Amino acid sequence: MTIDTNTMIFITEANQNFSKVTKVVDEHGTAVILKNNVPRYLVIDFNKAEKEKIAATEDVLSVSEQIIQQNMEAYEVLDK
């Protein structure tokens, strides 16, 4: 995962000023909260999370279609 340095916020600052975290998420879609100078938490816009979930579903459907096409002969034999 690539992290934009503009979205990084130290945990102490996030605790003291959570509205800054939400502003970063509004502007960039995500915010990375650092704990002990290491990325620890990811705050993501809810709508972006939903889109990622849908994309994963589309990926599963695409792979399923490929498997069905690769094994069509076997399915036709089983269908008889």
Side-chain angles (χ1 to χ4, degrees):
M1 168 186 244
T2 307
I3 300 173
D4 181 355
T5 56
N6 295 319
T7 66
M8 296 168 64
I9 303 169
F10 292 102
I11 196 163
T12 53
E13 187 174 10
N15 282 332
Q16 295 170 353
N17 190 3
F18 192 74
S19 62
K20 180 176 181 176
V21 176
T22 60
K23 183 178 177 184
V24 168
V25 172
D26 287 341
E27 291 175 2
H28 299 279
T30 60
V32 177
I33 300 176
L34 304 172
K35 185 174 184 180
N36 299 322
N37 294 325
V38 176
R40 180 67 186 258
Y41 304 102
L42 176 66
V43 181
I44 187 167
D45 181 272
F46 189 80
N47 291 325
K48 186 174 181 178
E50 284 294 311
K51 288 178 187 174
E52 294 294 326
K53 180 180 172 185
I54 291 168
T57 301
E58 290 172 356
D59 291 343
V60 169
L61 292 175
S62 175
V63 169
S64 297
E65 287 179 24
Q66 290 175 3
I67 292 171
I68 289 170
Q69 290 302 319
Q70 290 172 353
N71 297 296
M72 188 56 73
E73 255 184 70
Y75 292 130
E76 289 173 353
V77 170
L78 291 172
D79 188 40
K80 293 180 181 180

